[in-house]
Amino acid sequence: MTSSRIVYLNGDFVPFAEAKVPVMDRGYLFADGIYEVSAVLGGRLVDNAAHLARLDRSLGEIGIANPHDAAGWERLQMELVRRNDLVEGLVYMQVTRGVAERDFAFPPAGTAPGVVMFTQAKTVAANPLAEKGARIITVEDLRWKRRDIKSVALLAQVLAKQQAVEAGVSEAWMVEDGAVTEGSSSTAFIITREGTVVTRPLSTALLPGITRASVLRLAAEADLRIEERLIPVEMAYEAAEAFYTSASSFVMPVIQIDGRPIGDGQPGRHTRRLRELYLDLARAG
Ligand code: PMP
């Protein structure tokens, strides 16, 4: 984090140290807000239209008026990228229900949403973990019933990721009724011994991953078979390959789940190909 870091706060681009959020912001008190994250590669936003569409949908689902249209958001994102000289990393956007005296019910009509945006420099393309492959664990999914909404209420994911860190691995796949829902901050995929790419169908049980949608399209174009179905944990253990996807990790090979090697314990060949295809897409902007 450089001293010249600039963030966006409610209409202004301000130095990081001067960006202050009021105590009564409902994002802070109730996690009453929505967020979105787009990757930046070569100074360009990746899959951004889909991220902005999901932001609009999530806001609509909890009754917060979207303060900007897609073109408006993208202008702010690009201005933030420019002001922070960001070449590779992430742009974070958050909209809360605004600032009002603490009360569970919605604040008075006309209360302005709180908007915060910042960038994070990060190596997303040449990530050494993608060469090595990630080890992961499974944990119980402790979340609420509307996981399709990208809410800032992330306590269950924070606890899941901390369990992963304490286990010395990179990600936790959350499990409900014996089947994987998704990663703490990613979508879960396996590839069967027959070469079928498998991921859970969309529902309120998981976030509709933007990278998931692109990877499924790329897999179809590469003539891989695709099946959207539940993945019991035992099925994941026996997979030929496994990986997870997100805006910040793209396509991340998984080489071990709960201490059991996946396939030959190396990033799988279809997975590596899908990562390359996604990188091509991302670089093309
Ligand atoms: N599931 C969860 C719970 C996540 O937090 C994320 C990361 N935003 C994803 C899936 C992956 O979504 P995306 O590909 O849109 O980043």
Side-chain angles (χ1 to χ4, degrees):
M1 175 190 334
T2 64
S3 58
S4 58
R5 191 182 193 187
I6 300 291
V7 306
Y8 176 87
L9 177 62
N10 295 325
D12 298 307
F13 291 94
V14 290
F16 179 73
E18 290 169 26
K20 299 282 188 335
V21 177
V23 167
M24 289 295 178
D25 189 284
R26 292 179 62 95
Y28 179 63
L29 294 178
F30 295 115
D32 186 359
I34 298 296
Y35 76 109
E36 197 49 67
V37 180
S38 290
V40 173
L41 194 59
R44 285 201 299 234
L45 292 156
V46 178
D47 258 343
N48 194 49
H51 284 283
L52 294 178
R54 185 174 65 186
L55 175 62
D56 187 66
R57 177 187 180 272
S58 289
L59 288 167
E61 289 298 303
I62 67 165
I64 295 179
N66 192 340
H68 304 291
D69 62 14
W73 276 115
E74 189 151 323
R75 265 196 303 277
L76 295 174
Q77 290 172 297
M78 288 314 296
E79 181 62 17
L80 199 59
V81 165
R82 189 186 69 74
R83 289 186 188 232
N84 287 282
D85 295 322
L86 186 72
V87 177
E88 188 166 340
L90 305 172
V91 179
Y92 178 95
M93 295 159 273
Q94 174 172 308
V95 183
T96 72
R97 208 180 300 278
V99 179
E101 188 56 41
R102 186 177 185 276
D103 181 2
F104 281 74
F106 289 3
T111 301
V115 181
V116 171
M117 300 168 70
F118 56 82
T119 58
Q120 290 179 311
K122 186 175 189 283
T123 304
V124 276
N127 182 348
L129 188 62
E131 295 303 314
K132 249 174 39 192
R135 292 176 299 128
I136 67 164
I137 54 170
T138 60
V139 300
E140 189 186 350
D141 196 331
L142 300 175
R143 296 175 300 160
W144 73 325
K145 294 183 181 170
R146 288 302 307 278
R147 303 162 190 157
D148 54 313
I149 297 171
K150 200 163 170 61
S151 151
V152 295
L154 292 170
L155 185 54
Q157 287 97 316
V158 165
L159 296 178
K161 192 77 90 182
Q162 182 60 21
Q163 269 186 265
V165 167
E166 286 171 14
V169 303
S170 302
E171 177 59 306
W173 281 7
M174 297 179 286
V175 175
E176 183 172 65
D177 298 332
V180 177
T181 53
E182 57 189 328
S184 70
S185 59
S186 61
T187 306
F189 286 78
I190 62 161
I191 303 181
T192 66
R193 289 163 201 232
E194 294 74 41
T196 304
V197 177
V198 183
T199 195
R200 188 174 176 121
L202 295 183
S203 71
T204 51
L206 73 166
L207 188 75
I210 302 307
T211 321
R212 172 192 186 280
S214 289
V215 165
L216 285 177
R217 201 177 59 247
L218 293 169
E221 285 166 11
D223 285 331
L224 290 169
R225 267 190 311 277
I226 292 164
E227 199 179 346
E228 293 183 57
R229 55 157 288 170
L230 297 193
I231 304 173
V233 175
E234 294 68 29
M235 185 180 180
Y237 291 159
E238 285 159 21
E241 303 182 26
F243 63 95
Y244 56 83
T245 63
S246 71
S248 57
S249 62
F250 291 173
V251 175
M252 182 57 66
V254 169
I255 56 166
Q256 193 190 89
I257 304 177
D258 292 335
R260 298 160 169 85
I262 299 305
D264 62 3
Q266 302 290 323
R269 107 187 135 86
H270 295 306
T271 301
R272 281 188 281 116
R273 171 125 178 83
L274 287 170
R275 182 174 176 86
E276 283 311 311
L277 290 171
Y278 191 78
L279 279 167
D280 290 345
L281 186 86
R283 288 194 187 102

